[in-house]
Amino acid sequence: MREVEVSRFVRATPAEVRRALTPTALVEYEGSFSVVDVEERDDATVVTAGSRGLGLALRFEERDGTTYYTQGGDAGPFDAMETWVTVRAEDDGSRVTIRSAVSLGLPLPNLTDRLAAWKRKGELKRALSSLSADLG
């Protein structure tokens, strides 16, 4: 698996940022998939998303103040994907950091996982840009 991380200062309080970063919003902010369905469970929220015939389920849960989500099942663009979102107070706003680990599970993982991580980093940058614009 390859890991990528992006971080951005947002001019909003940590509470405002956390309210904005719902599972549905995170998927939409990333920009690659549209939300099809949301299922609230006792221990997690499962978001079903799709784009151009490709679907996937993302399982979201809170872990010690960090939003953690992973691609579930066998469907989806990755063989494995997990992501951590942290929000910390900074100056008059918040520092939002998103870290993700991805693998395509294909031959030549040094190349294929590097490409997957590059694509994922673009999604994470887009998510933080969209969040910042919404909270402007």
Side-chain angles (χ1 to χ4, degrees), residues 58-79:
L58 298 167
R59 178 185 166 84
F60 288 79
E61 57 188 83
E62 290 298 316
R63 294 183 174 180
D64 299 322
T66 297
T67 300
Y68 170 79
Y69 61 104
T70 186
Q71 176 183 297
D74 294 332
F78 303 111
D79 180 54

Side-chain angles (χ1 to χ4, degrees), residues 8 20 24 29-30 56 67 76 80 91 104 124 128 132:
R8 184 171 182 150
T24 300
Y29 285 160
E30 287 179 11
L56 73 154
T67 300
D91 297 327
L104 292 177
L124 302 181
L128 290 180
S132 183

Side-chain angles (χ1 to χ4, degrees), residues 13 15 18 29 33 35-36 54 63 71 81 98 131:
T13 67
R18 286 186 186 98
Y29 285 160
F33 295 93
V35 173
V36 175
L54 179 65
R63 294 183 174 180
Q71 176 183 297
M81 186 276 297
I98 308 176
L131 170 69

Side-chain angles (χ1 to χ4, degrees), residues 10-19 87-89 92-94 96 135:
V10 177
R11 291 204 178 278
T13 67
E16 291 169 324
V17 172
R18 286 186 186 98
R19 278 193 300 274
V87 180
R88 305 245 188 274
D92 290 330
S94 302
V96 182
L135 295 176

Side-chain angles (χ1 to χ4, degrees), residues 30 69 81 83 100 102 116-124:
E30 287 179 11
Y69 61 104
M81 186 276 297
T83 303
S100 192
V102 295
W118 172 79
K119 167 83 165 95
R120 185 71 178 136
K121 188 171 190 173
E123 291 173 334
L124 302 181

